Amino acid sequence: MTSIRRIGVLTSGGDAPGMNACIRSIVLTAAAHQIEVVGFSHGFNGLIEGDYKKLLPYHVQHIIHLGGTLLKSARCPAMHTEEGAKAAANTLRQMQLDALLVIGGDGSFKGALAIAQHYKGQILGLPGTIDNDVDGTDATIGYATAIDTALDAIDKIRDTADAFERIFLVELMGRHSGFIALSAGIASGAEQIICPELGVLKPGELDAVIRPIQNAQVVKGKSSYIIVMAEHCYPGGSTALAADITKAIGIECRACVLGHIQRGGSPVGADRILATKLGAYAVEQLLGGAHLMMAGEVNHQACLYPLQASGEHKKRIDPYLLRWQQQVAND
Ligand code: F6P
């Protein structure tokens, strides 16, 4: 077992429901091993600026159900520079921290890898993002909650779409991946799903979107029709696509951009459990000497995955569901 006395933790990038549950688990597990925990504020910015607070078990009492992050989160452009990484490493050294835990997505893990060039302590990542676009773990912390949040909204849109027999385009987050769109689209029974894995659409080449709408009208008659689309799949987003569909088929199509609602809210049970498991596992793995790894979960087993690979390999969305969706959308 490695001797670890003090560790740092931060949450970075887009916040995700379950980040608080993860911080709580880290602090409680560390306390059980007599390890001191220091939390840095506003992601890597807190590390660069030396903005931190000591985290004791009572600080993390009753936060497991809270969205957002107690430590605050931020993007940190300075971490794209060597000076930024050096300054961050400097703080870790000056504070005599034996290790750093970074809760975030693959962008945050890049920051962690940059710090490792200038710091001799251990560094582990924990996958916290609603996007689920991190390889080496079946799910990221926050993903399950984001699906349910999107689902709740789409179900409501279905009610009004049904009442007016309208076509709706619902735009969901996901950065450059379609995990949230595919999952929420499948679970809401959306008629069509558009996601980056199926290719980016181009204005003037909308046949693949329009044909299924027209087919559905022939087969089922006038009815509500919901297209769930991931962000960044069309120039101008869902608002522009809705306008172009309206123009092409002569039936009004409405857009609804769900936006940051998907990042907030109380984490669902699955996220609280995953966050607790990975937080505890990361602390234990630090004691086992792990370094430059991500603590993930595959087939219900906590496991380590090289931090570098988590961002390099593109995680695939479920090919089975994707194929099925395309088949029924075109029937
Ligand atoms: O990574 C989480 C995420 O919410 C993405 O889904 C989205 O593309 C991005 O962050 C939005 O970032 P910001 O809140 O900085 O606009």
Side-chain angles (χ1 to χ4, degrees):
M1 288 253 274
T2 315
S3 153
I4 298 214
R5 291 164 300 115
R6 296 182 88 197
I7 62 173
V9 59
L10 59 85
T11 47
S12 159
D15 52 288
M19 279 183 163
N20 277 326
C22 191
I23 297 166
R24 171 181 178 269
S25 170
I26 288 167
V27 172
L28 297 184
T29 311
H33 289 277
Q34 287 80 46
I35 298 171
E36 222 179 88
V37 182
V38 166
F40 292 96
S41 305
H42 306 104
F44 290 109
N45 298 294
L47 194 48
I48 291 174
E49 291 155 18
D51 180 8
Y52 62 89
K53 57 184 168 212
K54 198 166 155 182
L55 291 176
L56 297 169
Y58 83 86
H59 291 125
V60 296
Q61 240 180 31
H62 311 150
I63 63 165
I64 196 166
H65 61 298
L66 300 178
T69 156
L70 163 91
L71 291 174
K72 310 291 178 191
S73 193
R75 310 207 185 269
C76 179
M79 280 305 294
H80 298 294
T81 66
E82 175 130 21
E83 295 72 53
K86 277 187 180 160
N90 216 14
T91 305
L92 292 170
R93 267 196 310 274
Q94 277 175 359
M95 292 180 67
Q96 298 184 324
L97 293 173
D98 300 305
L100 175 69
L101 295 178
V102 174
I103 308 170
D106 65 348
S108 307
F109 295 165
K110 281 198 187 93
L113 289 163
I115 293 172
Q117 302 288 322
H118 310 282
Y119 168 64
K120 290 207 164 49
Q122 291 161 252
I123 298 186
L124 292 186
L126 295 105
T129 165
I130 61 165
D131 302 330
N132 198 32
D133 57 348
V134 178
D135 200 30
T137 186
D138 288 342
T140 53
I141 297 163
Y143 172 53
T145 305
I147 296 171
D148 278 8
T149 302
L151 198 51
D152 182 56
I154 301 167
D155 287 348
K156 289 181 172 131
I157 289 168
R158 177 68 79 183
D159 290 344
T160 175
D162 257 350
F164 270 72
E165 296 175 327
R166 260 177 177 154
I167 303 170
F168 265 90
L169 256 172
V170 186
E171 181 178 324
L172 302 183
M173 280 186 167
R175 212 165 47 134
H176 302 295
S177 292
F179 285 99
I180 303 177
L182 181 66
S183 296
I186 292 285
S188 61
E191 277 72 22
Q192 237 190 95
I193 297 171
I194 297 171
C195 58
E197 289 77 1
L198 293 173
V200 172
L201 296 168
K202 291 195 186 106
E205 293 175 28
L206 293 179
D207 247 26
V209 177
I210 287 164
R211 217 177 331 102
I213 304 177
Q214 290 170 329
N215 282 351
Q217 285 181 325
V218 172
V219 177
K220 299 175 199 150
K222 205 159 177 269
S223 168
S224 69
Y225 191 98
I226 292 185
I227 303 174
V228 168
M229 75 180 275
E231 61 182 344
H232 308 309
C233 279
Y234 194 70
S238 55
T239 311
L241 182 56
D244 289 349
I245 294 175
T246 303
K247 207 154 92 194
I249 61 175
I251 303 171
E252 195 186 7
C253 175
R254 293 286 184 98
C256 172
V257 183
L258 226 54
H260 288 81
I261 286 172
Q262 293 158 98
R263 288 235 294 257
S266 181
V268 297
D271 274 329
R272 299 183 197 192
I273 294 163
L274 179 66
T276 301
K277 188 171 178 178
L278 297 188
Y281 182 70
V283 174
E284 285 170 5
Q285 291 305 308
L286 280 179
L287 288 163
H291 178 42
L292 293 186
M293 303 295 273
M294 179 191 79
E297 188 193 50
V298 176
N299 290 333
H300 302 288
Q301 284 292 321
C303 53
L304 291 177
Y305 189 76
L307 209 49
Q308 180 95 34
S310 66
E312 272 173 7
H313 300 161
K314 178 116 178 99
K315 181 163 150 189
R316 283 191 343 140
I317 64 173
D318 188 331
Y320 182 82
L321 281 180
L322 194 61
R323 185 167 43 78
W324 180 81
Q325 172 63 31
Q326 280 186 287
Q327 191 180 47
V328 297
N330 287 305
D331 254 9

